[in-house]
Amino acid sequence: MQIQDLPYPDPGVPDARSGPRFLWWLFRNQLDGQLKALAWGLLHFLSVSALPFCVGVAVQAVVDRSGSRLALAGGLLALCCAGNAIGETFLHRTAVTNWITAAARVQQVLARKTAQLGSALTRRVAAGEVVAVSTGDVEKIGWFVEAWSRFTAAAVTIVVVCVGLVVYQPELGTVVAVGLPVLAIAVLPLLPRATRRADVQREKAGRATELASDTVAGLRVLRGIGGEELFLDRYRSASQEVRHAAVRSARMWSLISAIQVLMPGLLLIAVVWYGVHLARRGQVSIGELVTVYSSIMILTYPLRHFEEIAMAYSFSRPSARRAARVLSLERATDTGGSRDGAEVPSGDLYDPATGLLAPTGRLTAVVCGDPDAAGRLAERLGGHPSEESTSVLLGGVPLDELPLDNARTAVLVQDKDPVLLSGTLRELLDVPRSGDVRPEDALAAAQCEDVLAALVQGSLDADDPMDALITERGRSLSGGQRQRLALARSLITDPGVLVLDEPTSAVDSHTEARIAHGVRKLRAGRTTVVFTSSPLLLDRADRVVLIHDGTVAAIGLHRELVHAEPRYRAVVTRETEEEAAETKTARGDGPAGDRPVKASLEEVLKEEEVLKELEEIEESA
């Protein structure tokens, strides 16, 4: 796999049982790249390691006054330099390719898992941790793959050179062959402590990232309640903990680096002392002594890769563990798509757990006093619940038995906090769609005229609103503007069943009334489920369903339920128990029948009057 061939057609199924198993799975899938790196690495390291031999031959040729051997040494030096240059170039190219392709593979499996879990992911794992895994952790894992590409070649080279030195000069070669493994394992006792400190650093850095991500996501709310400084202090404290952990980790790695410098120096002193002793006795030539001495100097270069691979593994292991934890998550209910190849079903949407029925082609409004319960029900209606439950039926077909793509094609869920990705408005609306709804109609139904004007005004070189840029998460827009753009994006897809969770909670009442009219008109003949407590939306529904204590408590029209069902009225009008009692007595059901009706009910009636006025204006227009 080359960089230009990315993304992978199929990144594979990761082994997410543990961090080391995940790294091993990644290595097996990068085997071709690792073998190429090994070949180029051997060319590079062996060419470098052969330089001392060439120098030794040249020195001995000068001592013996042999011009032919000196010329031979020069030719060998030129050949080694060429091999060094070619090997280093292609080793670096292959190692970086392994890094990027491995990181891309990890990102693809993470993206696939995120798409599979949907909104259930952030209910089971903090959003900040998902961000940390998909950014910093992916980089650390890629670094380990790249370091391994160099390490294998360095390790093989050291073995080959040691064997060669033993054959070339047994006395000094044996000393080097015994000393080099000692150098390689000298730092092993320190690695567990260094790894633990690296793990602590990564954990603290991950928590700081989670805190920063969650704080930025809720910055508007924090400013509104005056909690910005509180969370800023918490992040300062978390960042200081990261700094202290990083310093402690760096101290251990600096000690390891010092040992990696000290031990080869001691070996070099021992070899030179012993070599001079042998040379004085005539057991080794000057050229052989120079060759062995130079070999030790050169071998410190591949030995550094032992330190690098230890450091890369120490930092990548917690990253791999975090990635494996996310990748090991499974959908709460999943039969593996036992109806593969089945067509997308249509018909009534029915939830056996609550008894909620959304008839086909109708606009059904759902009122639920618990916003969290409403969010979970909306997820379940889309076929991707965050907890194990009975499957929702669409046309009598369980959504859990459909392939995930088919289930999401059949039912589209827009949650109460939709995300707008950065890019142009044209790119935002470039989503899978039926083709029956034009972008202009979807934007008009969502009342986005002022949003389009604001986008054009905020863009320097965009005359067409569709070419206007939207910042990350739509931060340059107000909450109501982001909500309406998200609604337009959902409407343009034109799914068979559209589930909207509080789609107008951030807009004013007049805009909300026009949105209710636009959605009803645009979705005519299509199944639409709206979770809301707004009387303006409820009045537009073909049927209203009250969910109380997890089951259907009442069904009817808004005007009927607001007068006949106290539990419904309590949710829609925010009526307290005392106010409900006063409303009851005002109707003559209690001893104080002359008490006036509470303002909450009057407000509902006023909103209904506003809605009627808007209807008359629209009809006359």
Side-chain angles (χ1 to χ4, degrees):
M1 173 63 69
Q2 298 298 316
I3 296 176
Q4 60 266 24
D5 299 327
L6 295 174
Y8 289 94
D10 181 12
V13 180
D15 187 347
R17 288 176 291 177
S18 66
R21 288 179 182 273
F22 178 69
L23 290 175
W24 174 243
W25 170 82
L26 194 61
F27 171 78
R28 288 189 287 107
N29 282 274
Q30 302 285 127
L31 189 58
D32 291 343
Q34 295 292 346
L35 291 177
K36 290 180 182 178
L38 176 61
W40 291 117
L42 287 175
L43 176 61
H44 168 57
F45 287 117
L46 290 176
S47 297
V48 172
S49 301
L51 291 175
F53 173 77
C54 299
V55 173
V57 172
V59 171
Q60 192 61 42
V62 172
V63 172
D64 297 340
R65 299 180 182 278
S66 174
S68 60
R69 281 190 291 163
L70 185 60
L72 175 62
L76 291 176
L77 279 172
L79 185 62
C80 289
C81 290
N84 178 24
I86 296 173
E88 168 64 13
T89 299
F90 284 95
L91 171 61
H92 178 74
R93 179 186 180 92
T94 307
V96 172
T97 299
N98 289 343
W99 182 344
I100 295 175
T101 53
R105 187 185 297 274
V106 176
Q107 286 180 325
Q108 279 190 249
V109 295
L110 285 171
R112 184 175 63 186
K113 177 60 67 172
T114 302
Q116 178 187 10
L117 294 175
S119 58
L121 175 62
T122 52
R123 291 183 181 272
R124 301 165 68 179
V125 179
E129 182 172 352
V130 177
V131 173
V133 170
S134 59
T135 53
D137 288 338
V138 168
E139 182 181 353
K140 294 295 187 298
I141 294 171
W143 176 32
F144 174 74
V145 173
E146 190 264 351
W148 186 265
S149 302
R150 301 177 186 276
F151 167 74
T152 51
V156 173
T157 299
I158 289 175
V159 173
V160 171
V161 171
C162 287
V163 173
L165 287 177
V166 171
V167 174
Y168 177 71
Q169 215 316 304
E171 289 83 356
L172 293 177
T174 301
V175 175
V176 175
V178 172
L180 282 178
V182 174
L183 295 183
I185 65 175
V187 298
L188 288 182
L190 299 177
L191 288 181
R193 181 177 297 180
T195 300
R196 287 194 297 270
R197 293 190 180 186
D199 290 349
V200 171
Q201 179 190 352
R202 293 295 303 158
E203 291 175 3
K204 291 184 179 295
R207 285 197 293 269
T209 302
E210 294 171 18
L211 180 61
S213 175
D214 295 341
T215 301
V216 171
L219 194 57
R220 289 177 179 268
V221 177
L222 291 176
R223 286 175 176 171
I225 62 176
E228 185 179 3
E229 285 299 325
L230 174 62
F231 276 80
L232 186 59
D233 290 340
R234 289 183 180 178
Y235 179 73
R236 287 196 187 101
S237 176
S239 64
Q240 288 302 311
E241 291 181 6
V242 174
R243 184 178 67 84
H244 291 306
V247 169
R248 294 186 73 248
S249 179
R251 286 174 180 168
M252 185 56 64
W253 287 112
S254 64
L255 177 60
I256 292 175
S257 298
I259 293 176
Q260 291 280 16
V261 174
L262 174 63
M263 297 299 290
L266 295 177
L267 177 62
L268 185 61
I269 293 173
V271 169
V272 170
W273 178 84
Y274 186 55
V276 170
H277 177 69
L278 293 177
R280 291 176 61 184
R281 294 168 53 184
Q283 293 179 287
V284 298
S285 64
I286 299 299
E288 291 174 337
L289 179 59
V290 171
T291 298
V292 176
Y293 169 80
S294 302
S295 295
I296 297 175
M297 294 292 294
I298 291 295
L299 285 177
T300 57
Y301 170 54
L303 275 173
R304 288 205 304 268
H305 292 82
F306 283 75
E307 177 190 353
E308 182 186 11
I309 192 64
M311 183 180 295
Y313 179 72
S314 298
F315 278 86
S316 65
R317 191 182 68 169
S319 296
R321 184 171 62 246
R322 287 152 63 100
R325 184 153 65 100
V326 174
L327 293 172
S328 64
L329 298 176
E330 297 294 340
R331 285 166 52 84
T333 54
D334 191 0
T335 60
S338 57
R339 293 176 178 260
D340 283 341
E343 296 183 356
V344 177
S346 60
D348 296 343
L349 184 67
Y350 177 67
D351 176 33
T354 60
L356 172 63
L357 174 66
T360 181
R362 307 286 293 278
L363 173 59
T364 302
V366 180
V367 176
C368 185
D370 184 356
D372 292 335
R376 292 191 295 269
L377 177 55
E379 292 176 358
R380 192 161 66 248
L381 292 179
H384 39 90
S386 57
E387 54 189 23
E388 189 172 354
S389 61
T390 306
S391 176
V392 171
L393 306 179
L394 179 60
V397 178
L399 287 181
D400 289 345
E401 295 183 5
L402 294 176
L404 192 58
D405 291 343
N406 286 11
R408 290 182 174 173
T409 299
V411 183
L412 174 65
V413 179
Q414 176 183 307
D415 61 25
K416 59 173 61 70
D417 187 23
V419 176
L420 302 182
L421 302 179
S422 59
T424 64
L425 180 58
R426 194 183 308 277
E427 293 170 340
L428 176 70
L429 299 180
D430 184 17
V431 293
R433 64 187 72 178
S434 67
D436 296 335
V437 177
R438 300 183 306 163
E440 297 81 4
D441 296 335
L443 290 168
Q447 299 299 309
C448 293
E449 293 84 358
D450 64 316
V451 184
L452 301 181
L455 288 175
V456 172
Q457 186 177 3
S459 300
L460 298 177
D461 54 354
D463 296 330
D464 187 350
M466 300 297 289
D467 296 325
L469 289 175
I470 299 174
T471 58
E472 182 185 2
R473 298 179 67 90
R475 297 190 189 281
S476 60
L477 303 173
S478 68
Q481 291 173 328
R482 290 197 301 270
Q483 200 171 55
R484 283 177 281 163
L485 282 180
L487 176 59
R489 180 179 58 186
S490 299
L491 292 174
I492 199 175
T493 61
D494 191 34
V497 179
L498 177 60
V499 180
L500 303 172
D501 188 3
E502 295 290 352
T504 59
S505 58
V507 301
D508 61 81
S509 59
H510 287 274
T511 304
E512 188 176 32
R514 291 192 292 268
I515 290 175
H517 174 76
V519 170
R520 180 181 175 86
K521 181 178 179 181
L522 193 65
R523 293 286 300 171
R526 309 287 270 173
T527 306
T528 307
V529 181
V530 181
F531 286 82
T532 183
S533 59
S534 168
L536 298 174
L537 283 175
L538 294 170
D539 194 66
R540 287 288 186 173
D542 296 315
R543 66 200 305 265
V544 178
V545 179
L546 172 65
I547 302 293
H548 184 73
D549 290 338
T551 59
V552 173
I555 302 175
L557 295 177
H558 166 64
R559 297 170 187 264
E560 299 171 352
L561 294 177
V562 78
H563 292 288
E565 178 55 60
R567 292 171 296 184
Y568 177 84
R569 185 168 58 250
V571 176
V572 173
T573 66
R574 310 295 193 271
E575 193 176 54
T576 64
E577 294 181 0
E578 292 79 5
E579 292 171 340
E582 293 181 8
T583 301
K584 183 178 179 180
T585 56
R587 292 186 180 136
D589 298 330
D594 56 343
R595 295 182 183 178
V597 179
K598 292 300 294 180
S600 56
L601 183 56
E602 293 177 354
E603 290 173 358
V604 174
L605 298 176
K606 288 181 179 179
E607 287 181 341
E608 294 176 354
E609 293 175 359
V610 171
L611 186 58
K612 290 179 181 179
E613 293 176 1
L614 288 173
E615 290 176 352
E616 294 175 356
I617 294 174
E618 291 169 356
E619 290 175 358
S620 62

